[in-house]
Amino acid sequence: MRPGPLIHQTNLGRFDLAVLPDTTFRLDGGAMFGVVPKVLWERQKPADAQNRIEMTTNCLLLRGEGAVALVDAGIGEKLDERGRETFAVPPEGERLLDRMATLGVAPEDVTHVLLTHLHFDHCGWSTRRRGHPDSPEPRWVPTFPRARYFLQRDELKHAFAPNDRDRPSYDRRNFEPLVEAGALELFDDAAEPLPGVRMVRAGGHSPGMCVVTVDGGPRGGEHREKAAFFADLVPTAAHLPTPWVMGYDLWPLRTMEEKPRWVAEAAAGDWLCVFEHDPVTPLARLVPGDRPGRFRAEPVVPATV
């Protein structure tokens, strides 16, 4: 089995953090950077012959306070052959559950699953297949049977009735079994699934997309040990500039309102930042950029597995 990207581990006060990539994949570079000219974005994210850039699916595992929490759940195992070819998903290699096993974490150990939104590349391992593979009616069940799944309420509503523009982003097999199993905890603008772990609705990309923050406690001076999981508000470190917004965003102007606020707060607080789709810079702290109000990602190099 091909090992693929590394697991990055670090400590944040009362929580141990591990960034677990599910798989690499590729998406069209123009779609990922919207109106930004290719001559600019390709300097940071080179494209292949099909104009696709390499991405990954960084999930976050939190252990502490008597809980095991997973933030987002990767692409999962539901893509057919055409889908795997379209997104250049490797046919072999370690996946999210394999990486969890490397850390000694089984699906039954997970107590909380925090879903930033329901696009297929963020919640794929929320459910998995049960029964014979050749069954004409496969049964999908929650992958993490003891966990409560946290999700913004409007995101679920939209996922069941998406518009023509974003319908391909949703796969009911990823979330309908959660509803049937009564595993969901829905909220409106914010939730605190664990003490110090908050989900805050940011929107822009999808109706209920959330940013997840982790407060590990005081570390001396004016700062606290904090981390931010930006989800698709800032999918890669290259998306830090305010106008660098994905073409996939339903409300790009909302993204441009939310992003500078979150980025500035993370920089001022010296937060650890997780970029969910960045295969090169999964973890970083933000430092001043090349002009006032701009920031760049300074990679953090924690222990790796």
Side-chain angles (χ1 to χ4, degrees):
M1 182 176 286
R2 190 164 56 88
L6 294 173
I7 297 172
H8 290 70
Q9 297 186 87
T10 190
N11 176 263
L12 194 79
R14 53 185 162 172
F15 294 103
D16 290 324
L17 277 64
V19 176
L20 310 179
D22 178 30
T23 183
T24 58
F25 69 111
R26 286 182 177 269
L27 284 180
D28 183 82
M32 281 301 298
F33 290 99
V35 299
V36 179
K38 182 177 181 179
V39 69
L40 297 180
W41 60 253
E42 196 172 31
R43 296 173 187 172
Q44 299 192 51
K45 298 294 180 184
D48 66 10
Q50 295 174 273
N51 205 48
R52 301 174 302 182
I53 63 170
E54 185 175 21
M55 300 172 63
T56 192
T57 46
N58 293 318
C59 306
L60 180 64
L61 187 72
L62 303 172
R63 289 176 287 179
E65 298 292 296
V68 177
L70 181 67
V71 183
D72 274 356
I75 286 179
E77 58 183 349
K78 302 179 184 73
L79 289 179
D80 58 18
E81 183 177 353
R82 180 181 179 185
R84 291 192 296 270
E85 181 180 346
T86 298
F87 300 113
V89 174
E92 298 179 351
E94 293 182 352
R95 303 297 298 275
L96 176 62
L97 300 187
D98 302 310
R99 300 185 197 285
M100 292 173 60
T102 298
L103 300 181
V105 177
E108 294 77 16
D109 298 328
V110 176
T111 58
H112 301 69
V113 178
L114 284 53
L115 298 176
T116 62
H117 59 300
L118 290 178
H119 287 172
F120 74 90
D121 56 323
H122 292 256
C123 61
W125 284 109
S126 291
T127 64
R128 65 187 314 186
R129 191 172 189 158
R130 283 290 180 261
H132 193 279
D134 296 327
S135 170
E137 295 184 5
R139 177 170 171 252
W140 299 91
V141 300
T143 301
F144 310 101
R146 294 183 53 239
R148 301 300 296 169
Y149 289 70
F150 290 78
L151 177 69
Q152 200 283 328
R153 190 182 311 276
D154 290 343
E155 182 70 17
L156 181 65
K157 181 180 178 181
H158 181 76
F160 273 113
N163 56 50
D164 289 343
R165 186 174 185 270
D166 66 346
R167 184 169 287 109
S169 297
Y170 294 99
D171 185 336
R172 285 195 177 203
R173 296 173 295 177
N174 288 332
F175 51 86
E176 196 165 39
L178 304 180
V179 176
E180 295 170 351
L184 282 173
E185 297 283 350
L186 300 176
F187 61 90
D188 292 319
D189 291 328
E192 190 169 1
L194 287 168
V197 180
R198 286 176 51 79
M199 301 179 71
V200 181
R201 180 181 187 176
H205 180 63
S206 70
M209 192 208 70
C210 292
V211 171
V212 178
T213 61
V214 183
D215 188 338
R219 72 177 187 192
E222 298 180 356
H223 296 308
R224 297 178 67 85
E225 291 278 9
K226 295 193 73 171
F229 186 90
F230 287 128
D232 279 343
L233 182 69
V234 194
T236 75
H239 287 84
L240 281 167
T242 298
W244 290 47
V245 173
M246 289 188 288
Y248 296 111
D249 287 13
L250 294 183
W251 296 278
L253 295 183
R254 173 72 183 273
T255 299
M256 292 178 65
E257 291 175 0
E258 292 283 341
K259 187 198 301 190
R261 178 174 68 84
W262 281 102
V263 168
E265 187 173 0
D270 195 31
W271 294 4
L272 184 65
C273 299
V274 181
F275 298 104
E276 186 163 12
H277 287 314
D278 201 318
V280 178
T281 310
L283 281 171
R285 297 189 188 274
L286 304 184
V287 297
D290 58 357
R291 66 186 72 173
R294 285 280 184 98
F295 299 93
R296 62 180 178 84
E298 187 70 33
V300 172
V301 185
T304 55
V305 177

